């Protein structure tokens, strides 16, 4: 058995421009976009604070949040859509109120891994030349652990 955790839903702006792949126009909390349900250009209104959406062209597409949009856009039931958006906790998952970590952009993550690997190379160079201190070993272990964790090599 599982549990829906509303505060785990993605932010509306992030969802619509990221996961849903929509281009939003306008300013303020009410934005316009194409209606994916009937193909209308700029006929759908989206509230970037609440996630509400409504097609003004009369196709009937409407809902109260990003979960409702995801359900309608992908033909999913409530639980399947909540799972897909990371807002459904299965038994053994984090407790109520815990939030997902903020995603790190791939470019930043790769840069961080590259920096850690470069540090490992410098320390190994010092080891080969016989000038490595205990501090260098500690720095190497920390950097190598981070690389292993991020790349998933430990699993």
């Amino acid at each position: 058995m599982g549990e829906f955790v509303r505060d785990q839903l993605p932010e509306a702006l992030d969802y619509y421009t990221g996961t849903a792949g929509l281009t939003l126009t306008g300013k303020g909390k009410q934005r316009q976009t194409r209606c994916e349900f009937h193909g209308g250009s700029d006929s759908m209104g989206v509230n970037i604070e609440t996630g509400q959406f409504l097609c003004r062209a009369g196709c009937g597409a409407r809902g109260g949040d990003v979960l409702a949009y995801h359900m309608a856009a992908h033909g999913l039931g409530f639980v399947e859509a909540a799972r897909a958006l990371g807002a459904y906790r299965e038994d053994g998952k984090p407790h109520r109120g815990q939030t997902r970590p903020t995603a790190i952009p791939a470019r930043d993550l790769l840069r961080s891994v590259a920096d850690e690997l470069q540090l490992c190379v410098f320390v190994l160079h010092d080891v080969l030349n016989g000038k490595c201190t205990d501090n260098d070993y500690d720095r190497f272990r920390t950097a190598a652990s981070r690389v292993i964790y991020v790349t998933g090599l430990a699993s």
Side-chain angles (χ1 to χ4, degrees), residues 25-79:
T25 59
K27 295 187 179 192
K29 68 180 182 179
Q30 232 12 74
R31 308 282 174 93
Q32 284 70 47
T33 189
R34 68 183 183 275
C35 178
E36 291 293 312
F37 301 100
H38 81 277
S41 174
D42 283 346
S43 60
M44 181 171 287
V46 172
N47 184 309
I48 62 167
E49 291 178 4
T50 65
Q52 291 177 319
F53 63 98
L54 170 67
C55 178
R56 293 185 187 89
C59 80
R62 67 179 330 143
D65 60 13
V66 297
L67 181 61
Y69 185 92
H70 201 75
M71 289 169 61
H74 299 281
L76 298 174
F78 179 85
V79 172

Side-chain angles (χ1 to χ4, degrees), residues 96-108:
R96 179 184 293 270
Q98 287 183 331
T99 59
R100 292 180 297 197
T102 303
I104 299 172
R107 177 185 217 134
D108 294 344

Side-chain angles (χ1 to χ4, degrees), residues 11-147:
E11 295 294 323
L13 181 61
D14 295 337
Y15 172 80
Y16 286 118
T17 59
T19 306
L22 299 175
T23 301
L24 304 179
T25 59
K27 295 187 179 192
K29 68 180 182 179
Q30 232 12 74
R31 308 282 174 93
Q32 284 70 47
T33 189
R34 68 183 183 275
C35 178
E36 291 293 312
F37 301 100
H38 81 277
S41 174
D42 283 346
S43 60
M44 181 171 287
V46 172
N47 184 309
I48 62 167
E49 291 178 4
T50 65
Q52 291 177 319
F53 63 98
L54 170 67
C55 178
R56 293 185 187 89
C59 80
R62 67 179 330 143
D65 60 13
V66 297
L67 181 61
Y69 185 92
H70 201 75
M71 289 169 61
H74 299 281
L76 298 174
F78 179 85
V79 172
E80 291 80 17
R83 275 189 186 120
L85 295 177
Y88 193 81
R89 188 184 84 190
E90 304 289 343
D91 289 342
K93 298 287 180 169
H95 297 292
R96 179 184 293 270
Q98 287 183 331
T99 59
R100 292 180 297 197
T102 303
I104 299 172
R107 177 185 217 134
D108 294 344
L109 191 59
L110 288 172
R111 182 74 236 161
S112 177
V113 168
D115 291 344
E116 298 293 352
L117 286 172
Q118 187 175 28
L119 177 66
C120 289
V121 169
F122 288 144
V123 172
L124 290 174
H125 178 266
D126 286 349
V127 167
L128 291 173
N129 289 313
K131 11 180 216 174
C132 192
T133 66
D134 287 340
N135 187 37
D136 291 333
Y137 280 123
D138 290 340
R139 289 176 42 213
F140 175 79
R141 280 189 215 102
T142 300
S145 295
R146 288 177 181 156
V147 170

